[in-house]
Amino acid sequence: MTSLDSLTDAIRRVHAGGTALDPQVVSGLLRSKHDPLAALTAREAQSLELMAQGYSNTEIARQMHIGVGTLEKHIAAVFAKLGLADTGTEHRRVRAVLAWLRAQ
């Protein structure tokens, strides 16, 4: 498609009530909006992956070469970014692992 064709197509979409955003950009935005794990840092994602593998906090910290306190901060950030509040009625660790499994 030429630049003129692209411009004409965008004008028609806007005139019809649509947007002039590139469909690939919109698709990417929608995908990231539905992926709760996209907000995790690399270390938080690694922490979650090791949790999903069934390791204890002590073992995860050992494998990541960090202290248990640092790992607990990563896990707290994972819970926060996944919207898993401490309600006392659910196991946040299990729910976080389920979110990780759904994304695989």
Side-chain angles (χ1 to χ4, degrees):
M1 185 181 290
T2 68
S3 296
L4 184 55
D5 291 337
S6 296
L7 177 61
T8 303
D9 184 51
I11 290 170
R12 286 187 180 131
R13 280 196 316 261
V14 171
H15 181 70
T19 66
L21 292 175
D22 184 293
Q24 289 179 326
V25 171
V26 173
S27 176
L29 289 171
L30 291 175
R31 242 191 336 271
S32 67
K33 191 174 188 177
H34 295 295
D35 181 8
L37 303 181
L40 300 181
T41 67
R43 296 298 264 176
E44 292 163 356
Q46 182 183 14
S47 302
L48 180 54
E49 182 176 357
L50 290 168
M51 282 194 305
Q53 292 175 21
Y55 292 112
S56 68
N57 284 3
T58 302
E59 179 59 17
I60 293 169
R62 187 191 69 73
Q63 287 189 32
M64 293 178 65
H65 307 288
I66 59 176
V68 173
T70 300
L71 173 69
E72 289 171 350
K73 289 178 183 173
H74 289 319
I75 292 172
V78 168
F79 293 158
K81 290 178 180 180
L82 295 181
L84 301 173
D86 187 5
T87 63
T89 60
E90 299 175 334
H91 295 281
R92 293 187 299 168
R93 191 176 183 107
V94 172
R95 292 191 38 119
V97 167
L98 288 172
W100 182 84
L101 289 170
R102 283 187 204 105
Q104 301 310 304

